[in-house]
Amino acid sequence: MTQTFDSLASDPVALDKLKSRIQALRAKTIANGCTEDEALSAAAKVAELLDRHDLSLSDLELRASACARKVYETRRKKRIPLDDCIGAIALFCDCRVWREKSASGDNSYVFFGLSADVEVAHYLAELIDSAVRAELGRFKTSADYRRFRHQDRHLANASFALGMVASIGDRLVAMKKSRDQVNESTGRGLVVLKTSVVDAEFDKLDLNLRTSRSTSRMVSMAAYEAGGAAGATLAINTGISGAQRTDSKVGG
């Protein structure tokens, strides 16, 4: 990633190019040789560049920015592990998110926010969903998994996935806090301003959303902890500072 803060601030076409970069990263799937670690690291770096672009805009320009919505389709009627960190993804990307059901009963997540932010949110959702499925597949081939009785393996699968997304969600929240502190050091309330823009546009949608109740779930602690360890090993790096980069792991 060679795009710098100065070029983003001076080139009005830079943000569109950045969106194109996100699309290119999406196309570079794991099947084509991109690992989960590489893809998640790239997405986090894109998010930081977006922060820097937003900081280059005046308050007036930011208030005039258009909001957009982008749907992540699960193609599942039941809950999927991603459900437990979808809020952290939205927080990380300064978006609002809600769940909808299609006419056929399939669940989908709807991200709403500034157009570039929803692109990153959708991309992260896609990558984390893929990463959990890949790591769960590896867990199923492990010696630890084979120790579970056959009748307990469904619980082990669910517990592993839950532990993994909980770990990823915690890291995204910690990374967001760190990013906000950096942005606040500039003397601008960027997050507050972006939130006010998104909330004002969100209110215009006049949606009738309801809060879903959290339910208690039985978990296998051994599988949950294995999932947490898998989530903690994903390299989600955000260190970009002009020409110098410093990669750092959060929670790892």
Side-chain angles (χ1 to χ4, degrees):
M1 181 87 59
T2 58
Q3 187 80 53
T4 65
F5 170 53
D6 291 338
S7 62
L8 277 171
S10 61
D11 182 1
V13 183
L15 188 55
D16 286 337
K17 290 182 178 178
L18 196 52
K19 289 183 183 180
S20 297
R21 173 69 187 225
I22 297 170
Q23 295 295 339
L25 286 169
R26 179 177 287 114
K28 188 181 180 184
T29 61
I30 296 169
N32 291 332
C34 179
T35 67
E36 296 96 332
D37 285 4
E38 291 167 342
L40 284 167
S41 178
K45 289 176 181 178
V46 168
E48 185 170 342
L49 285 173
L50 286 173
D51 280 350
R52 297 188 178 201
H53 176 267
D54 291 338
L55 283 168
S56 74
L57 300 176
S58 69
D59 286 6
L60 185 61
E61 289 171 320
L62 199 56
R63 289 187 186 280
S65 299
C67 285
R69 54 189 287 168
K70 195 170 182 69
V71 179
Y72 181 74
E73 298 178 356
T74 70
R75 297 181 174 82
R76 298 286 192 279
K77 291 179 173 58
K78 296 182 179 179
R79 287 172 57 106
I80 63 172
L82 187 66
D83 194 65
D84 289 294
C85 73
I86 202 72
I89 294 172
L91 174 70
F92 183 75
C93 298
D94 295 310
C95 295
R96 300 290 291 267
V97 67
W98 62 90
R99 187 171 56 187
E100 291 184 350
K101 276 188 178 291
S102 68
S104 61
D106 288 347
N107 288 311
S108 62
Y109 304 111
V110 183
F111 293 106
F112 181 85
L114 300 185
S115 59
D117 291 338
V118 297
E119 289 287 342
V120 176
H122 187 278
Y123 178 49
L124 272 177
E126 187 174 47
L127 289 170
I128 292 171
D129 192 18
S130 175
V132 171
R133 294 177 193 279
E135 292 298 333
L136 180 57
R138 281 188 274 273
F139 175 62
K140 289 180 178 180
T141 65
S142 69
D144 288 340
Y145 183 76
R146 288 194 292 272
R147 294 191 184 99
F148 287 97
R149 298 178 300 173
H150 181 76
Q151 61 266 35
D152 294 333
R153 289 183 177 179
H154 178 74
L155 176 62
N157 295 339
S159 300
F160 178 92
L162 179 61
M164 186 171 177
V165 294
S167 174
I168 294 172
D170 287 346
R171 294 175 66 203
L172 287 175
V173 170
M175 288 165 58
K176 171 61 173 168
K177 182 178 180 181
S178 177
R179 286 169 53 211
D180 287 349
Q181 289 173 343
V182 171
N183 292 335
E184 288 169 6
S185 69
T186 66
R188 284 186 68 194
L190 178 64
V191 175
V192 174
L193 179 56
K194 287 178 68 175
T195 299
S196 68
V197 172
V198 174
D199 285 352
E201 293 301 309
F202 178 79
D203 289 342
K204 294 178 184 178
L205 299 178
D206 196 25
L207 297 175
N208 183 22
L209 300 179
R210 61 182 178 86
T211 302
S212 59
R213 295 180 180 178
S214 58
T215 56
S216 58
R217 280 175 279 178
M218 184 180 296
V219 298
S220 160
M221 287 308 299
Y224 182 92
E225 290 171 358
T233 61
L234 291 181
I236 311 177
N237 302 318
T238 59
I240 302 177
S241 55
Q244 182 179 3
R245 303 181 188 179
T246 304
D247 290 338
S248 61
K249 283 190 178 182
V250 177

